[in-house]
Amino acid sequence: MPATKFICRDGSTIPIKQCLSHCPNAQRCMFLPTLRSVAESLNRKLDKPSVTELIAGTRETYLKKTQPYAVDPMQQLYALHGSAVHTIQEGHNEGNIITEERLADDITSGKFDLYGQIVDLSDNTLGDYKVTSSYKLMKALGYYKIDVPTGEVYKTGLKKGQPKTRKEWLTDGVRHLLDWAIQLNYYRILLEEAGFKVKDMVIQALCRDYSLRMAAERNITRPLYLIKIDKISDRWVKLYMKVKAKRLEKALKEKHLPEKCSARERWHERKCQSYCNVAEFCPYGRLVKRAMNKAA
Ligand code: SF4
Ligand code: SF4
C-alpha cells in the first residue's frame, strides 16, 4: 500500500487525494504541481520489491506495503531530487550515456540513475545522485576528529600542567556507506547481466544543509562530493538481497510483522525517532518515540 496521506505543516494529516483537489488552508504549503509530483513518486506499482525497498529494514518495507501511512511532502522533496536533476539535464546526456533504466532479475528490480562516460574518458561508469545531510556525508566520507597536542600546557585552572590539544580532522576513517554500496553494486550486477561492462561506481552527493554552520563543523566544505564505491562480491550481494526478499515475501504471505529492523537499518534509533514514515505502526518505533518524548 503506498502512502495515503500527507502531513500538513501544522502536523495534521489529510488524504492525498483530498489535498490535491482542495487544501483546507488559506494557502497551500507548496505549489500544486510539486504536490502532484510528490504524490506520483509515492505511487510506484512494481511486481516485486525494488532494490531500495529490500535494502531498508524488512519491517519498515512490510509496514509501508500494508499500512495507510502518511508522509510529509517537504521531506519527500529530497527524494524527488534525482528525477529533478534528470529533468534539468534532459538534452545534455548526449554521447555514451544511458539514464534511468529499470532492470530486473528473479529477486528484485532497480532503476539506476545514469551509466556511461560521466566522470572520465572511460565510458562505463555507473552513477547515482543522492541528496543527503552533512551528517550522513561526514560518515560516508570517513571523516573523524582527533585531539592533537599543541605543545603548550595549561598554566592555571583544573587542567593545570596538562597538555593543551586542538581538534584535527582526519579523512581516512571507516566509510559508513554500506546501503549505498549494496544499492550501486546491485545495479552494477543488473547492468552486467544485461551485457554492459561497469568499470567504476560513483555517487554524486549533494549536501542539503551545506550552507549551515553545522556542515562546516562536520568538515563538509563543498556542496557536492563525488564518492567512489568499491566493488562487493556478486555472490555476497545476491545472497543478502535474496535472504531479504524471502523474508519480506514470507511476512506478506503470512501477514505477520517481521522482526524489528537491525540497529544499522534503524540508524541506531535515529530513524525510528524522526525519519521512519511507518513508526506509528511499529511497536518498537512507538517505544522509541515515547522514550524520546519522556526525555525531552
Ligand atoms: S497543500 Fe499542504 S497544507 Fe494543504 S492540505 Fe496539502 S499538504 Fe496540507
Ligand atoms: S520505527 Fe524503526 S524498527 Fe520500526 S519500522 Fe521504522 S525503522 Fe524499523
Side-chain angles (χ1 to χ4, degrees):
M1 180 179 293
T4 56
K5 286 176 263 176
F6 274 155
I7 303 170
C8 301
R9 298 313 298 149
D10 62 2
S12 61
T13 59
I14 182 167
I16 294 177
K17 268 192 181 164
Q18 202 176 319
C19 154
L20 296 181
S21 66
H22 173 74
C23 170
N25 300 311
Q27 187 176 307
R28 285 190 178 276
C29 60
M30 63 180 83
F31 290 165
L32 182 55
T34 313
L35 284 159
R36 285 186 183 135
S37 312
V38 171
E40 195 186 318
S41 73
L42 296 166
N43 197 11
R44 289 186 312 172
K45 289 196 178 75
L46 301 173
D47 296 346
K48 43 186 135 189
S50 68
V51 169
T52 42
E53 284 175 331
L54 290 184
I55 288 172
T58 307
R59 178 179 285 193
E60 182 187 346
T61 301
Y62 172 86
L63 289 172
K64 282 186 168 168
K65 286 187 173 295
T66 54
Q67 299 300 323
Y69 67 100
V71 297
D72 179 345
M74 301 278 171
Q75 294 300 324
Q76 291 304 120
L77 286 180
Y78 296 123
L80 269 187
H81 166 83
S83 2
V85 172
H86 285 297
T87 312
I88 295 165
Q89 292 175 171
E90 244 161 22
H92 300 281
N93 289 326
E94 62 271 351
N96 290 334
I97 296 178
I98 310 173
T99 59
E100 288 203 291
E101 285 291 327
R102 181 165 289 280
L103 300 170
D105 62 7
D106 55 338
I107 302 171
T108 178
S109 76
K111 188 151 86 172
F112 65 86
D113 282 343
L114 67 170
Y115 166 78
Q117 200 168 327
I118 52 176
V119 282
D120 59 27
L121 292 179
S122 127
D123 66 352
N124 45 25
T125 298
L126 169 63
D128 198 66
Y129 301 113
K130 301 273 181 223
V131 182
T132 192
S133 64
S134 54
Y135 177 79
K136 169 88 190 172
L137 211 39
M138 173 187 75
K139 299 292 240 178
L141 290 164
Y143 289 177
Y144 64 103
K145 263 190 213 172
I146 56 162
D147 289 321
V148 180
T150 62
E152 294 175 8
V153 290
Y154 288 96
K155 295 202 171 76
T156 54
L158 283 175
K159 290 187 180 173
K160 190 175 174 185
Q162 289 179 23
K164 282 187 180 176
T165 58
R166 63 179 162 76
K167 296 278 181 201
E168 191 172 296
W169 281 99
L170 295 185
T171 56
D172 59 351
V174 177
R175 301 195 308 157
H176 296 275
L177 41 63
L178 185 61
D179 285 359
W180 290 355
I182 295 174
Q183 185 191 3
L184 256 78
N185 270 276
Y186 213 94
Y187 294 162
R188 172 187 60 75
I189 293 169
L190 291 174
L191 267 164
E192 288 175 347
E193 284 175 353
F196 296 89
K197 191 170 173 291
V198 178
K199 182 171 152 270
D200 288 313
M201 293 170 278
V202 180
I203 284 176
Q204 177 171 294
L206 184 68
C207 181
R208 63 182 181 226
D209 53 357
Y210 164 71
S211 54
L212 301 183
R213 189 167 53 98
M214 186 72 83
E217 284 170 4
R218 291 170 174 157
N219 201 32
I220 299 303
T221 54
R222 303 198 305 265
L224 189 145
Y225 286 78
L226 290 180
I227 305 173
K228 197 163 172 201
I229 299 295
D230 294 333
K231 187 173 173 182
I232 310 177
S233 97
D234 293 10
R235 197 167 163 270
W236 188 91
V237 178
K238 281 257 181 186
L239 192 65
Y240 179 80
M241 296 294 265
K242 202 171 185 170
V243 167
K244 293 201 77 176
K246 281 229 154 79
R247 207 178 285 161
L248 178 65
E249 190 188 345
K250 187 167 185 282
L252 288 168
K253 202 165 148 199
E254 295 172 3
K255 294 189 172 50
H256 74 78
L257 186 66
E259 279 288 296
K260 69 173 183 277
C261 308
S262 71
R264 184 180 59 78
E265 289 162 345
R266 22 177 236 273
W267 309 345
H268 305 277
E269 321 310 4
R270 284 176 66 241
K271 189 166 199 178
C272 312
Q273 280 172 0
S274 317
Y275 300 100
C276 178
N277 286 326
V278 285
E280 64 173 301
F281 302 103
C282 168
Y284 188 76
R286 287 197 295 265
L287 207 72
V288 170
K289 275 180 180 284
R290 246 199 324 269
M292 183 179 78
N293 293 338
K294 251 191 207 165

